[in-house]
Amino acid sequence: AQSVTQPDIHITVSEGASLELRCNYSYGATPYLFWYVQSPGQGLQLLLKYFSGDTLVQGIKGFEAEFKRSQSSFNLRKPSVHWSDAAEYFCAVGEDSSYKLIFGSGTRLLVRP
Amino acid sequence: SQTIHQWPATLVQPVGSPLSLECTVEGTSNPNLYWYRQAAGRGLQLLFYSVGIGQISSEVPQNLSASRPQDRQFILSSKKLLLSDSGFYLCAWSNSGSRFAKNIQYFGAGTRLSVL
C-alpha cells in the first residue's frame, strides 16, 4: 500500500533563510507526487506536481521540489523564505489507477522575523 | 475558470443533531468529488469520493454519509452528530478527463464543525 511520510512535524526558519521540507513515499511504480500548502483555517492550495520527465519541478510562490527515485523522496525547497510562507505543508502521492491521493501528516512551518 | 464553494464556513451543532454540508463546483462538468476530514493538528482523512451522480465510495466506516444529487454538487450528512465528528471538513474536486488531471485535486475553503 502507498504511504507518505513527512518526518518533521514542525520546522522553524528565519526569514530570508533557505528551506527544505522532507517527504518520503512508499510505492512500487512511479508515483504522481504533489505538494500542497494550507494557511490556518483555509483549504489546501496546490504548490507543485510531478508526473514524469524532469525530476526538478517548479511551482508557485518560488517553491521547487526534486523527485529522487533512489531515495523515494520528493523534498520541497525554497531558497529564501518570506514571513508569508508560514503555513502547513502537505506532501501527497497518487497513482495512475486510482482517483485518490494519500497525504502525509503535514509539516508546520514557522518563520522567525 | 473552475471554482469550488463550501458552506457553511463555520458550524456549531449539539450532539445528536443532524448535519448537512454542501459543496458545489462551477466551471467544469463531471468532476470527481471528495470529502476529507482534518482533525486538529492532523493530516487529511479521505471520507468519501464520487466519480459520478449517485456513485459514492466510502473510505471509512463512520457516522457520516455522502450524496451527489447533481453533477457538481456533493453533500456530506449525518443523522445524529457525535462529539468525535468535530473537525475541519474539506471538499475537493478533480478533472475526470485525463490520466494526469484526475489526480490533481483542488480544495474548497473548508467547514469548521464543532459538536458540543
Side-chain angles (χ1 to χ4, degrees):
Chain A
Q2 296 178 74
S3 66
V4 178
T5 301
Q6 293 180 249
D8 303 305
I9 298 174
H10 295 101
I11 282 187
T12 301
V13 299
S14 297
E15 190 168 16
S18 63
L19 170 70
E20 183 168 27
L21 301 183
R22 295 183 291 166
C23 173
N24 293 96
Y25 65 89
S26 173
Y27 182 59
T30 300
Y32 301 152
L33 295 161
F34 307 85
W35 276 99
Y36 285 85
V37 61
Q38 184 182 32
S39 297
Q42 299 297 313
L44 277 70
Q45 181 183 21
L46 180 66
L47 283 176
L48 47 77
K49 58 191 181 292
Y50 171 80
F51 290 116
S52 64
D54 192 347
T55 56
L56 183 64
V57 294
Q58 303 297 320
I60 62 171
K61 304 185 180 187
F63 286 93
E64 66 178 26
E66 186 171 12
F67 170 55
K68 292 186 177 180
R69 184 189 302 276
S70 62
Q71 298 177 23
S72 297
S73 69
F74 189 56
N75 294 348
L76 182 70
R77 302 194 294 247
K78 186 169 185 177
S80 178
V81 170
H82 188 263
W83 64 266
S84 60
D85 293 324
E88 187 143 25
Y89 292 80
F90 291 94
C91 181
V93 60
E95 61 177 339
D96 198 21
S97 61
S98 172
Y99 299 97
K100 300 183 288 186
L101 295 180
I102 306 299
F103 284 85
S105 55
T107 297
R108 182 165 297 280
L109 174 65
L110 304 174
V111 180
R112 279 194 297 258
Chain B
S1 64
Q2 301 90 357
T3 55
I4 179 169
H5 303 281
Q6 267 190 259
W7 66 92
T10 305
L11 190 59
V12 180
Q13 292 285 96
V15 170
S17 63
L19 172 74
S20 181
L21 302 181
E22 190 162 341
C23 172
T24 59
V25 180
E26 295 177 356
T28 188
S29 59
N30 194 32
N32 300 320
L33 296 170
Y34 308 83
W35 277 113
Y36 290 87
R37 177 167 57 203
Q38 187 177 26
R42 305 278 294 277
L44 279 76
Q45 179 185 38
L46 179 63
L47 302 176
F48 302 95
Y49 70 95
S50 172
V51 300
I53 296 175
Q55 300 178 60
I56 309 294
S57 296
S58 174
E59 290 294 298
V60 181
Q62 60 205 315
N63 185 43
L64 301 168
S65 62
S67 61
R68 185 170 177 173
Q70 300 181 46
D71 181 43
R72 291 168 290 175
Q73 184 184 31
F74 205 23
I75 297 172
L76 184 68
S77 304
S78 173
K79 293 182 180 178
K80 288 186 177 181
L81 283 169
L82 306 173
L83 287 174
S84 57
D85 291 323
S86 293
F88 192 52
Y89 288 83
L90 290 158
C91 182
W93 73 275
S94 69
N95 192 323
S96 61
S98 78
R99 173 187 172 193
F100 296 139
K102 71 180 176 69
N103 282 275
I104 304 173
Q105 293 185 20
Y106 301 94
F107 285 80
T111 295
R112 173 77 55 196
L113 173 65
S114 298
V115 182
L116 306 176

